[in-house]
Amino acid sequence: MADTIVIGAGIAGVTAARLLQAGGQRVVVLEARDRIGGRMWTDRTAGFSVDRGASWIHGLTDNPLTELVAELGMDAVEFTVGSYQAGGRPIADFDEEHRRFDADETRRWLADIDTADDLLLQASAASAPGETYADVSERAIAASGFDGLRAARVRAFHRHRTEEQCGTDIDRVAAHGLDEDAIDGDEVILPGGYDVLPRSLAAGLDIRLGQQVVAVKWSEAGVRVETASDVFEAARAVVTVPLGVLKAGGIRFAPELPEVVTGPIERLGMGVFDKVFLRFAERFWEDGVYAIRQHGEPGFPWHSWYDVSAVSGEPMLLTFAGGDWARRIEAMDDDAIVASAMQGLRANYGDAVPDPIAHWITRWGGDEFSLGSYSYVAAGASHADHDALATPVGGVLHFAGEAAWSTDPATVHGALLSGHRAAERILGAEIPIASLAEGARPESD
Ligand SMILES: Cc1cc2nc3c(=O)[nH]c(=O)nc-3n(C[C@H](O)[C@H](O)[C@H](O)COP(=O)(O)OP(=O)(O)OC[C@H]3O[C@@H](n4cnc5c(N)ncnc54)[C@H](O)[C@@H]3O)c2cc1C
């Protein structure tokens, strides 16, 4: 019998399992998929890395990933636009008439968004319970005194930022929903593929792939975990399945979980955020820009294209769909999605822009082992709900994963830290996060 069963081999699961095993425990990890990494998933079928899940380390300062990635020898490329920044790095901004902003327009736009964001912070600080991010955005725009076009640009920007950061529409997010959104330091992407990280941390662990957990029976004496084909027993379990799976009742708990855990599961939202990678035979956009951005009304639904050519060495753009638009594209076929995204690009670069020679499209909302992309603070929820989700149950059940970390939910480092916290609680001791890299072998295809 194992000491601990970890359910899910994403970054939270492998972190918890590795630290528990290093602490002397017998650990078994049960993973439903036929691969390790969960929402860190690198597609290498084309001979280069395409990260279908996470791509960015969101802020290198005070981030445990910074040292970990360096110790594992993973190459990193600076790419500080991963959090829907308006500026800070060169961006090809296009106006409503599809003309490129000149330097003055860019300066005015950045000043406008700074003003609006300061007002938005004040509005969310003064917001009443139950108010949404849409409410405080509108209040900030009204307070700015901006006229029609300037107001419309700020409004579109706030909407798109929410869709990207939360995977949902602005009127579903709590007024405080993006409070945790500050980025400390540069951001980077990983040309060798982000899933090298969870796969390296998985080295030496007992991970059973293809084991979809369907039921967890628990008492203070221990846990009995049932998969479609097997039964596993242990003194305790760490549950790291995504919030989408918990919300859908994908695992039956007996006895039922207490309200301290079911409350956050119900109140927090699970967003949908999908990626569309477009590979072109030749580059048709300008050198030296991190992203192309369409402002104002014409930016619905496609508004931002990120130049990720540094990852593949090929001319590649990455665009996103979040919220309702993401759910809608998941029902469309690939050709229709590519045609739609190309319409947005051609509006700015001309009808002569050729079709892409390859594309990669994700559908995380329909992925049965994720049922969404990441969690967000829905109207009526609070950041405290993230940590409350990790309240130990009966001394034997520990929840971890990005949704269970309040300061940086929806991130790789938040998920990792939640796995670290679960291991510390179980071992009853502080564990230096740096010890995670000990004995981890760099793994790639
Ligand atoms: C498109 C996209 C882009 C993103 N971009 C970024 C980014 O750039 N930077 C960033 O920091 N974060 C990003 N994120 C978020 C980041 O990927 C996640 O926060 C993080 O990987 C979550 O790790 P986790 O261990 O909590 O969950 P997961 O990685 O989802 O791991 C949970 C595991 O549980 C397994 N599982 C599910 N159900 C069962 C079951 N019944 N039985 C057994 N196993 C089960 C799943 O298969 C999965 O492997 C992105 C996510 C998506 C979807």
Side-chain angles (χ1 to χ4, degrees):
M1 184 170 111
D3 295 308
T4 301
I5 292 169
V6 174
I7 305 175
I11 191 71
V14 296
T15 298
R18 182 162 201 87
L19 295 174
L20 289 169
Q21 187 163 292
Q25 289 212 341
R26 285 161 302 163
V27 182
V28 173
V29 183
L30 302 177
E31 166 56 52
R33 301 182 198 269
D34 60 2
R35 62 173 178 82
I36 289 163
R39 283 170 275 173
M40 302 177 76
W41 179 23
T42 310
D43 183 337
R44 297 183 177 81
T45 47
F48 49 78
S49 303
V50 176
D51 269 312
R52 301 178 70 95
S55 305
W56 271 272
I57 296 182
H58 289 307
L60 292 176
T61 306
D62 293 333
N63 189 327
L65 294 175
T66 306
E67 202 178 313
L68 206 49
V69 159
E71 283 201 32
L72 291 170
M74 293 169 68
D75 284 340
V77 171
E78 187 276 326
F79 204 59
T80 312
V81 287
S83 304
Y84 211 68
Q85 291 89 334
R89 295 292 185 276
I91 292 177
D93 292 291
F94 285 87
D95 70 13
E96 293 72 3
E97 305 301 323
H98 307 293
R99 284 183 304 242
R100 185 81 196 266
F101 281 13
D102 62 22
D104 277 347
E105 246 175 321
T106 304
R107 244 190 318 276
R108 278 200 299 275
W109 158 243
L110 293 179
D112 278 3
I113 198 68
D114 272 355
T115 303
D117 275 350
D118 281 348
L119 292 166
L120 196 147
L121 275 180
Q122 292 169 30
S124 59
S127 63
E131 284 199 303
T132 69
Y133 202 65
D135 295 331
V136 289
S137 161
E138 285 306 326
R139 212 164 291 148
I141 292 167
S144 72
F146 293 156
D147 63 10
L149 194 64
R150 288 166 83 194
R153 281 185 188 169
V154 170
R155 181 173 294 113
F157 186 84
H158 284 172
R159 275 162 203 256
H160 296 321
R161 184 169 63 195
T162 317
E163 289 150 16
E164 287 205 0
Q165 300 301 92
C166 302
T168 193
D169 296 275
I170 193 163
D171 54 358
R172 303 220 179 98
V173 176
H176 286 283
L178 275 86
D179 283 1
E180 88 294 343
D181 207 37
I183 299 292
D184 292 323
D186 283 351
E187 294 172 285
V188 295
I189 50 176
L190 297 308
Y194 214 164
D195 74 354
V196 171
L197 178 62
R199 290 164 61 215
S200 302
L201 296 180
L205 295 178
D206 179 357
I207 299 183
R208 317 280 174 93
L209 298 176
Q211 290 281 3
Q212 180 182 358
V213 171
V214 292
V216 174
K217 297 188 172 132
W218 59 278
S219 71
E220 286 182 11
V223 297
R224 181 185 156 89
V225 178
E226 297 174 9
T227 69
S229 53
D230 295 292
V231 173
F232 299 83
E233 292 186 346
R236 65 191 70 75
V238 179
V239 183
T240 75
V241 301
L243 178 66
V245 173
L246 293 174
K247 276 180 166 302
I251 297 179
R252 201 172 59 254
F253 291 90
E256 280 178 17
L257 295 171
E259 204 282 331
V260 66
V261 170
T262 56
I265 291 172
E266 280 162 26
R267 284 190 294 273
L268 292 169
M270 186 67 175
V272 181
F273 171 76
D274 282 312
K275 292 182 158 182
V276 178
F277 290 89
L278 303 171
R279 178 187 176 190
F280 296 93
E282 282 175 25
R283 187 183 180 89
F284 57 84
W285 60 98
E286 25 307 69
D287 273 329
V289 295
Y290 283 60
I292 298 159
R293 180 157 293 144
Q294 173 66 62
H295 285 264
E297 278 302 314
F300 293 90
W302 306 103
H303 47 87
S304 302
W305 294 264
Y306 298 86
D307 183 351
V308 290
S309 311
V311 173
S312 57
E314 304 289 328
M316 293 259 284
L317 292 175
L318 164 61
T319 187
F320 298 121
D324 278 350
W325 177 236
R327 291 189 190 275
R328 277 175 57 197
I329 71 161
E330 290 200 10
M332 290 159 59
D333 65 30
D334 280 18
D335 288 348
I337 297 167
V338 171
S340 169
M342 287 305 297
Q343 249 181 8
L345 267 176
R346 287 189 177 118
N348 291 324
Y349 288 92
D351 289 341
V353 169
D355 281 332
I357 55 172
H359 63 261
W360 293 257
I361 297 173
T362 68
R363 289 180 176 79
W364 286 101
D367 180 312
E368 69 168 312
F369 301 127
S370 196
L371 296 175
S373 301
Y374 34 71
S375 62
Y376 66 91
V377 181
S382 78
H383 281 283
D385 281 324
H386 287 296
D387 284 334
L389 174 54
T391 310
V393 176
V396 295
L397 288 183
H398 298 261
F399 287 81
E402 59 81 15
W405 190 258
S406 66
T407 45
D408 291 291
T411 65
V412 170
H413 60 279
L416 180 144
L417 287 166
S418 76
H420 172 256
R421 177 182 57 196
E424 280 192 331
R425 282 181 176 164
I426 290 167
L427 294 175
E430 283 187 18
I431 310 168
I433 196 97
S435 68
L436 195 51
E438 283 166 19
R441 287 192 302 270
E443 295 271 336
S444 64
D445 281 346

